[in-house]
Amino acid sequence: MKRLFSGVQPSGELHIGNYLGAIRNWVTLQESFECIFCVVDYHAITQPYAVEDMAPRIMDAATWILACGVDPEKATLFVQSDVPEHTELAWILNSVATMGDLNRMTQFKEKAEQQASVNAGIFTYPVLQTADIVLYKAERVPVGEDQLQHLELAREIVRSFNARFGPIFPEPQAHTGTARRIMGLDNQFKMSKSRGNTIALGEASEAVMAKLAPAVTDVNRKRLKDPGDPEKCNVYTLHTHFSPEPVVEDVAAQCRAAGRGCLDCKKILHRHLMDDLAPIQARAAELKAHPERVRDILAAGAEHCRKVAQETLREVREKMGLCRTGGRIS
Ligand code: AQP
């Protein structure tokens, strides 16, 4: 089986963008790949956060990943900072990655614009991301559209490393699903934890409807009798991911014919969205009642990953002429 790596940041509540763009695919992919899934807390610390929030967020992310259907019998789940080799390899790869390439990263530019002072971790984020992947010699990386540029950079870093020190790492390939970029409820920006434009996986039914009600639809459809264009409507896009095919067809036809109002269309979406979320929420509640189960899964995952990671680092050091002096504990 080919190995696959993917991660999610504990930077806030996981949302339906993370679910459609990543975690729902993970559940399918765990059947045909050797999957390693990670809660990437070292990435999350590049954003401002309250210290007391981080540990609960990490547990929360792991809980939702499991509740969505990632099965520890089929896939490995762990927390990035439990395997320090991630940052060690990132430092090594920093000596291969170029400032010019990192400067081109759109996500860096966007995040930098949102902050008065930009830490170096945001800049070198894609290098740590490369280390995350190649530490396990993963060949596939399921990602949303936002991460495609980072993955191209990872491939570039791998090529440079291999050319200089020998062919250790495979070039990772992106694996994109059908939901490459879910827009936020503002229909303006990508759905993002940091933008506050999300529907969280744990949101109660009434809260979901309260968020959907004012969600932006086709802006040209101002009155009920104006025909709409489903292709310009984020609510329609969400229908394509949550509603059954005949409903999606009906929603599109009614929108074009101005037969149904946007609020009624949202109520239908709400029903189908909750059909998907309700069993996930029930599993999450069960796991939250038994956090020791989640901790055990993460501990077993970290133990497995540490072994693989240490072996990769041993190989890397050897190729780079970094010999052991005997002072190093491993
Ligand atoms: N809106 C989205 N549409 C499709 N896929 C998405 N992903 C995130 N948002 C969308 C995918 O989810 C995985 C985990 O993402 P992440 O949590 O590591 O980081 P992110 O992409 O930066 O997610 P957020 O919500 O936008 O977080 P913040 O606001 O903290 O930066 C990735 O595979 C991502 O592609």
Side-chain angles (χ1 to χ4, degrees), residues 4-6 30 36 45 69 79 106 109-110 135 156 162 167 178-180 204 206 225 243 261-262 265 267 272 326:
L4 173 154
F5 180 94
S6 197
Q30 68 185 351
I36 300 181
I45 61 170
V79 178
T106 313
K109 289 182 199 157
E110 281 174 7
L135 194 52
E156 186 58 46
N162 285 350
T178 52
R180 295 161 61 134
E206 311 75 60
K225 63 179 180 11
S243 302
C262 291
C265 181
K267 285 181 185 162
H272 294 294

Side-chain angles (χ1 to χ4, degrees), residues 116-285:
S117 163
V118 183
N119 65 59
I122 296 180
F123 186 63
T124 56
Y125 185 111
V127 181
L128 179 57
Q129 198 171 14
T130 305
D132 298 337
I133 300 163
V134 302
L135 194 52
Y136 304 101
K137 302 190 179 181
E139 293 177 69
R140 288 293 166 86
V141 185
V143 283
E145 198 178 78
D146 56 325
Q147 295 300 326
L148 284 174
Q149 196 187 28
H150 286 176
L151 201 69
E152 197 39 58
L153 177 59
R155 290 159 59 78
E156 186 58 46
I157 293 172
V158 162
R159 280 194 288 271
S160 303
F161 185 95
N162 285 350
R164 186 159 168 214
F165 299 110
I168 299 185
F169 301 124
E171 277 184 39
Q173 309 277 338
H175 188 109
T176 46
T178 52
R180 295 161 61 134
R181 182 179 168 90
I182 298 296
M183 295 302 284
L185 297 177
D186 48 18
N187 204 13
Q188 202 184 347
F189 298 105
K190 184 196 87 148
M191 187 174 283
S192 269
K193 301 179 208 92
S194 54
R195 295 257 182 209
N197 60 1
T198 69
I199 292 178
L201 292 178
E203 213 114 46
S205 176
E206 311 75 60
V208 172
M209 191 58 226
K211 280 189 168 177
L212 280 177
V216 178
T217 54
D218 173 7
V219 286
N220 293 322
R221 192 172 183 211
K222 296 195 172 63
R223 287 158 305 189
L224 183 61
K225 63 179 180 11
D226 294 335
D229 180 353
E231 300 307 324
K232 292 185 182 149
C233 177
N234 194 29
V235 170
Y236 173 72
T237 307
L238 291 176
H239 267 293
T240 65
H241 294 296
F242 288 107
S243 302
E245 194 51 44
V247 173
V248 176
E249 283 168 18
D250 176 62
V251 160
Q254 291 288 334
C255 178
R256 287 197 184 96
R260 183 185 287 127
C262 291
L263 187 61
D264 286 337
C265 181
K266 289 169 178 177
K267 285 181 185 162
I268 300 170
L269 170 63
H270 172 252
R271 226 176 25 247
H272 294 294
L273 201 154
M274 290 318 297
D275 284 350
D276 243 50
L277 291 193
I280 296 173
Q281 292 182 348
R283 283 196 294 274

